[in-house]
Amino acid sequence: MIYADNAATTKMSDKAIQTMACLLQEAWGNPSSLYVHGQKAKEVLEQAREDIASVIGASAQEILFTSGGSEADNQALRTAAELGKKKGKRHIISTTFEHHAILHTLETLKKDGFDITLLDVHENGIVIPAEVEAAIREDTCLVSIMYANNEIGTIQPIREIGAICRRKGVLFHVDAVQAVGHIPVNVVDDNIDMLSSSAHKFHGPKGVGFLYAKKGIRLTNLIEGGAQEHGKRTGTENVPGIAAMAEALKEADANMAAYAEHLIKMRNRLIQGLQEIPHSALNGDATQRLPGNVNFCFEGIEGESLLLLLDDKGICASSGSACTSGSLDPSHVLLAIGRIHDVAHGSLRLSIGEDITEEEVDYIIQSTKEVVAYLRSFSPVWRDLMAGKKEFIL
Ligand SMILES: *Cc1c(COP(=O)(O)O)cnc(C)c1O
């Protein structure tokens, strides 16, 4: 099997598994306890906090452990909303192609009386900093923009947007779940106030992540309970999971440049190969994208059928479409970059991992070509397109 769905989740690294297994045995104590088992767990926890902080340019007390990216996103938005409310600021700026952890939280905040502006991300899937600046108002309490998109992989001009927010005195949150461990992220250089990250997107375990919040930001806690994480994220910490996350992040960070170089080569080879398919198009900017992300639309086919047939050929991929999650709506991200419904339905996301080989890339290209041709051979939409009853868009 070729696993090309790393944007959905990654396989844990051997080192992360070893760390976790070892700590399940050796650091099983409650880090809040005073005796030796607790203190051992506490040490592991604080070491992980320091390691993670140092990778993203933060200090240890600015890192709060969460159950993953979704929780960190929720907490960041709730925090900004609470702080804004106190100052009578109820306007939030975000984009149309954020993760649902952001979009759905914003919908809830809207019901609570917040005014939400969702910026366009244009055809190339990139936000224009000047448009962020123009959208900022007197009552803006937060700008929340993702570092890299999880479907089309486009990387946003975070540093520039951060500088604008700093200048205007507006809090800046970044969902960096797809970026951390894959491309350089530094909260100081990038002018970031709050940042969400998740271990299972960089070869760590699922169900663990972190929220960076710049010193001085008073976090709103989502869960009431004890005094863990200074009362801002209560509940006994997942010590082995957190330590495995730190291990995975250190590893990803140390290998980042080498992995990126290989991935970009493989990504570009994939893009070149898939572009040979007639009436196809790459989604998102060709170069300002994650090293391992390829996302295409093929006219006249259903992404779902494409996935099933690729699966038969031993290729694990994903469709940009949300059909897999039980909805028939096409992906909100593809609609956000201006793809019409019919075209957005025929999408394919390949998020390759650093161990992919050139032979595997060529196999993916060849298989996709065959499957697309096969599906088109009995697609009524394709027949209409070929007969000139419908116009080609791609
Ligand atoms: C995966 C992902 C999340 C959610 O993270 P979980 O740890 O699965 O909750 C949020 N944002 C982006 C961009 C993601 O890719």
Side-chain angles (χ1 to χ4, degrees):
M1 289 298 259
I2 303 173
Y3 185 71
D5 202 13
N6 287 278
T9 197
T10 57
K11 184 171 179 279
M12 273 179 79
S13 75
D14 290 344
K15 239 182 177 170
I17 292 175
Q18 277 162 19
T19 301
M20 195 156 172
C22 170
L23 291 177
L24 281 166
Q25 287 203 312
E26 289 176 13
W28 51 267
N30 186 324
S32 301
S33 306
L34 290 175
Y35 42 78
V36 63
H37 300 301
Q39 288 314 295
K40 164 84 181 154
K42 178 82 180 161
E43 248 170 60
V44 169
L45 189 66
E46 296 316 317
Q47 185 60 49
R49 203 186 305 276
E50 268 177 36
D51 290 346
I52 287 169
S54 104
V55 169
I56 62 161
S59 59
Q61 61 286 19
E62 295 173 316
I63 303 295
L64 181 93
F65 296 121
T66 67
S67 66
S70 301
E71 186 187 338
D73 280 345
N74 272 260
Q75 191 161 11
L77 298 196
R78 293 276 178 194
T79 293
E82 282 303 316
L83 294 172
K85 223 192 286 184
K86 283 189 191 132
K87 294 183 185 160
K89 296 183 173 187
R90 289 172 172 267
H91 177 233
I92 297 174
I93 299 168
S94 189
T95 78
T96 49
F97 82 157
E98 296 298 312
H99 191 272
H100 283 126
I102 297 289
L103 291 177
H104 290 166
T105 307
L106 290 176
E107 275 170 32
T108 309
L109 289 173
K110 195 171 173 181
K111 285 186 199 128
D112 292 346
F114 281 82
D115 190 10
I116 315 291
T117 299
L118 295 183
L119 296 171
D120 185 18
V121 293
H122 306 277
E123 253 173 62
N124 62 354
I126 294 170
V127 181
I128 297 174
E131 292 182 4
V132 178
E133 180 153 18
I136 294 176
R137 312 189 311 215
E138 280 294 305
D139 62 339
T140 305
C141 61
L142 174 73
V143 171
S144 177
I145 294 178
M146 69 201 319
Y147 214 118
N149 184 267
N150 48 304
E151 288 188 29
I152 57 173
T154 49
I155 299 169
Q156 305 305 312
I158 290 301
R159 193 167 294 191
E160 266 179 274
I161 297 170
I164 292 167
C165 293
R166 277 284 146 85
R167 194 154 24 84
K168 298 264 184 179
V170 177
L171 274 182
F172 183 38
H173 167 254
V174 175
D175 174 340
V177 175
Q178 292 288 334
V180 170
H182 299 275
I183 55 173
V185 172
N186 183 296
V187 291
V188 176
D189 297 345
D190 293 340
N191 307 304
I192 296 170
D193 296 316
M194 288 189 280
L195 172 143
S196 311
S197 181
S198 176
H200 77 101
K201 302 288 174 72
F202 53 75
H203 302 289
K206 277 163 258 298
V208 53
F210 65 90
L211 173 64
Y212 153 81
K214 193 172 189 278
K215 201 162 171 257
I217 294 175
R218 213 185 133 76
L219 288 169
T220 298
N221 55 338
L222 303 179
I223 304 164
E224 301 292 341
Q228 295 92 351
E229 304 289 293
H230 302 291
K232 298 306 177 193
R233 205 289 179 171
T234 71
T236 306
E237 295 91 343
N238 172 8
V239 177
I242 289 167
M245 164 165 70
E247 206 53 47
L249 185 56
K250 279 194 291 182
E251 219 181 336
D253 190 54
N255 293 311
M256 188 180 287
Y259 287 168
E261 193 190 334
H262 173 65
L263 280 172
I264 288 171
K265 254 189 232 155
M266 296 299 108
R267 177 195 76 191
N268 292 347
R269 191 179 177 90
L270 254 179
I271 292 175
Q272 223 176 359
L274 295 179
Q275 266 166 346
E276 288 168 10
I277 297 175
H279 304 288
S280 69
L282 176 71
N283 292 313
D285 195 85
T287 53
Q288 205 172 319
R289 67 192 301 132
L290 289 170
N293 177 289
V294 173
N295 190 314
F296 263 82
C297 278
F298 304 106
E299 210 162 353
I301 63 160
E302 281 284 342
E304 289 302 279
S305 331
L306 178 59
L307 288 189
L308 290 175
L309 293 172
L310 285 178
D311 181 38
D312 281 347
K313 291 181 179 285
I315 299 165
C316 312
S318 143
S319 161
S321 136
C323 297
T324 35
S325 49
S327 143
L328 280 174
D329 295 335
S331 144
H332 73 284
V333 173
L334 296 179
L335 296 179
I337 60 167
R339 296 284 183 222
I340 64 157
H341 280 238
D342 278 3
V343 171
H345 268 304
S347 67
L348 173 69
R349 177 185 71 186
L350 296 158
S351 41
I352 52 179
E354 47 276 347
D355 53 356
I356 196 149
T357 64
E358 203 168 280
E359 290 70 42
E360 288 174 330
V361 165
D362 291 345
Y363 177 73
I364 295 175
I365 295 169
Q366 192 49 40
S367 304
T368 309
K369 282 180 176 171
E370 285 167 21
V371 170
V372 169
Y374 171 71
L375 288 171
R376 281 175 173 171
S377 72
F378 55 82
S379 151
V381 179
W382 184 253
R383 200 176 48 222
D384 286 352
L385 287 164
M386 291 306 277
K389 287 185 196 155
K390 262 179 109 165
E391 263 186 57
F392 281 109
I393 290 159
L394 302 181

